[in-house]
Amino acid sequence: MQNDDWVYYWQIGHFLAGHFDIHNYIEATFYTQGILGLIFSKLFGLEKLPILTLLMAVLNFFLFTHILNRFYLKKVFDSILIGLLFFISPLHAYASIGFMTDIYFLFFILLTFVFVEYYIETDKTLYFALANIAGLAGFFSRQLSVISLIALLFFLLYKKKYTYAAIEFAGVATLLIYYFFFYPLTSLMQQNHGFRFLNIFDFKYMYTSIFISIFYAVVFIIPLLIAIFYNYISKNLNKIWLVLALTVGIFGASLVFFSADLLRHDNMFYMHGVLVRNGFFYGTSLGTKYQIKYEDQIYNVWDIVSKVAVALTITLLILHYKKLLNYFTIYISLYIGVLSIMLITYDRYTLAFTPVAIIIFFEIFKDFKFSTVSRIIVIVGLLVTLLYSYNFTMEFITLNRYLWTRANSIYAKGGTQKNKISAGYAWRRNFPNSTGTYRYLFYFQPYYTLPENLACCYSIKETYNIKFPLSIFDDAKIYMYKKTF
């Protein structure tokens, strides 16, 4: 169990009991995902819900690959290559192993994209209707899905399809009125709702926010960007100095205006949430975690390369500005704008940025053809990303399997209630302890590095090595402590 999906498991159990009100800790609209989870749990059991999420993740891969093959690359192998580049990216990998809302949100976004693409190609009302149905289903998985419908509204206005635009406006307006005035908002929705519109007038904040959004869009598809750049320059050698000058200028501007500390973290990864430098989200209850090997060197280089990639992306967009007026640039512009003024944002919210960025690249470079060199670049990047995501996923699963199995075995022996065991963020969410004192404590740090308030009162009872093939983690261990008095 990961992050906050404990509450989604609880919610499906609540649905199974015939109660359809939403838990106050849930911020997403959730009902679409909840109905899918309810049906699946009735057939296979509540504990099998991660299998449903994995199946939905595979469907996401299929939908995205279908978009690439049908509308852009026209080659199955190349479409699968790029689809895999997104599928195995760390954020998507993390979202695929639990029961969080991200994969379900992304499924309906991609389904909306498929129907929008068919509508643009055929101009058939059927696809317009299906795109709206998919967007509506997505909205009742997570509210941000409404952006896909608002983007469609603006696209229709741009294309001067005023009848369709009027229908879209009526639908979106009705949906938003229903949500803000009639939908039973949970306490967390009320707490985190709202926007900080003054951000718009803070140039440094907006620059940083937009830069980081593009950063997350391209950080895991740098091999594809290199392949596109290689292809573009090989056909436009006369523009190489212009491209380099603009890229260097934008990168230089980032050194002046980019202030990462405005968005939680002052180093890569910048946004608060799932992805941290030494693994997936683990909270603070386990202490200071072990690192990956050569962590600082890897991230220092990757950070610079990613920022250059952002600068190159902006350069290519500027040079092809006439091709930017399409549905997907409208979508991502609206999405980035909304994230820039939201009260609370997490890196998980950027999950859709990567497939949209890929589609925009192929919208701009419609004549792009994979050469042998391009394929080699992407395949090498794919293997590196696979190793990285594999490590983060295996470490997360191995660690959490040990924590939950060991904590449950302590409870099964009797004498210790579950809320007297501290076994990570999700465990403590499931079995809250208002006192903050625990009989058993799982912690990353060895005894000699414990804070004084723990060293005084706990002794090591067990050391567990986090091991799996091809691990890049350095001396990965977790310790089980028992209270001495």
Side-chain angles (χ1 to χ4, degrees), residues 193-205:
H193 271 183
F195 300 99
R196 192 179 289 113
F197 289 102
L198 289 177
N199 288 352
I200 297 171
F201 305 102
D202 186 336
F203 175 79
K204 206 165 190 177
Y205 180 90

Side-chain angles (χ1 to χ4, degrees), residues 8-208:
Y8 303 122
Y9 282 94
W10 179 94
Q11 189 63 59
I12 298 300
H14 198 56
F15 283 179
L16 287 168
H19 307 294
F20 292 92
D21 55 306
I22 297 293
H23 192 289
N24 268 323
Y25 192 77
I26 291 178
E27 189 176 0
T29 36
F30 187 72
Y31 277 108
T32 309
Q33 178 181 344
I35 291 169
L36 293 172
L38 172 64
I39 296 168
F40 188 87
S41 296
K42 277 185 174 291
L43 294 173
F44 304 104
L46 192 64
E47 71 281 357
K48 302 293 186 183
L49 282 173
I51 296 175
L52 174 62
T53 303
L54 186 57
L55 290 172
M56 297 296 288
V58 173
L59 286 176
N60 288 345
F61 168 72
F62 171 78
L63 288 173
F64 184 49
T65 303
H66 175 71
I67 292 171
L68 295 177
N69 182 56
R70 175 66 179 75
F71 299 101
Y72 298 99
L73 298 177
K74 311 293 185 180
K75 289 189 177 181
V76 174
F77 179 76
D78 294 337
S79 299
I80 290 174
L81 266 185
I82 303 305
L84 284 173
L85 197 60
F86 169 63
F87 182 76
I88 66 171
S89 63
L91 280 176
H92 192 267
Y94 176 85
S96 303
I97 58 177
F99 191 58
M100 298 290 286
T101 60
D102 308 284
I103 289 296
Y104 301 85
F105 161 74
L106 186 62
F107 171 78
F108 290 109
I109 289 294
L110 290 174
L111 191 60
T112 304
F113 290 171
V114 168
F115 293 132
V116 167
E117 289 277 25
Y118 275 110
Y119 170 67
I120 293 170
E121 181 183 74
T122 66
D123 205 28
K124 289 184 178 179
T125 303
L126 172 63
Y127 294 120
F128 171 76
L130 289 173
N132 276 277
I133 291 170
L136 180 64
F139 178 81
F140 284 101
S141 179
R142 188 192 286 174
Q143 299 91 315
L144 283 172
S145 292
V146 76
I147 295 173
S148 65
L149 300 179
I150 297 173
L152 183 55
L153 169 61
F154 281 106
F155 179 74
L156 291 167
L157 289 171
Y158 166 65
K159 289 294 184 178
K160 299 180 181 179
K161 295 180 179 290
Y162 298 121
T163 301
Y164 283 108
I167 295 170
E168 193 69 28
F169 175 79
V172 170
T174 301
L175 186 60
L176 292 177
I177 289 170
Y178 165 74
Y179 177 71
F180 284 108
F181 295 99
F182 300 102
Y183 185 86
L185 300 178
T186 66
S187 58
L188 196 62
M189 289 177 186
Q190 296 176 46
Q191 175 185 326
N192 292 341
H193 271 183
F195 300 99
R196 192 179 289 113
F197 289 102
L198 289 177
N199 288 352
I200 297 171
F201 305 102
D202 186 336
F203 175 79
K204 206 165 190 177
Y205 180 90
M206 291 301 294
Y207 183 94
T208 300

Side-chain angles (χ1 to χ4, degrees), residues 204-272:
K204 206 165 190 177
Y205 180 90
M206 291 301 294
Y207 183 94
T208 300
S209 180
I210 293 169
F211 193 92
I212 286 179
S213 292
I214 301 173
F215 180 96
Y216 274 88
V218 302
V219 65
F220 300 115
I221 58 169
I222 291 173
L224 174 61
L225 185 59
I226 293 172
I228 289 172
F229 175 70
Y230 170 81
N231 183 276
Y232 176 73
I233 289 301
S234 65
K235 295 177 181 178
N236 299 274
L237 278 173
N238 59 317
K239 294 183 178 180
I240 188 168
W241 295 112
L242 175 61
V243 172
L244 289 176
L246 281 172
T247 301
V248 170
I250 294 167
F251 179 79
S254 73
L255 300 177
V256 176
F257 300 115
F258 182 74
S259 299
D261 56 313
L262 295 174
L263 292 173
R264 303 290 183 116
H265 299 301
D266 59 2
N267 59 17
M268 182 181 177
F269 294 94
Y270 295 103
M271 295 181 74
H272 185 68

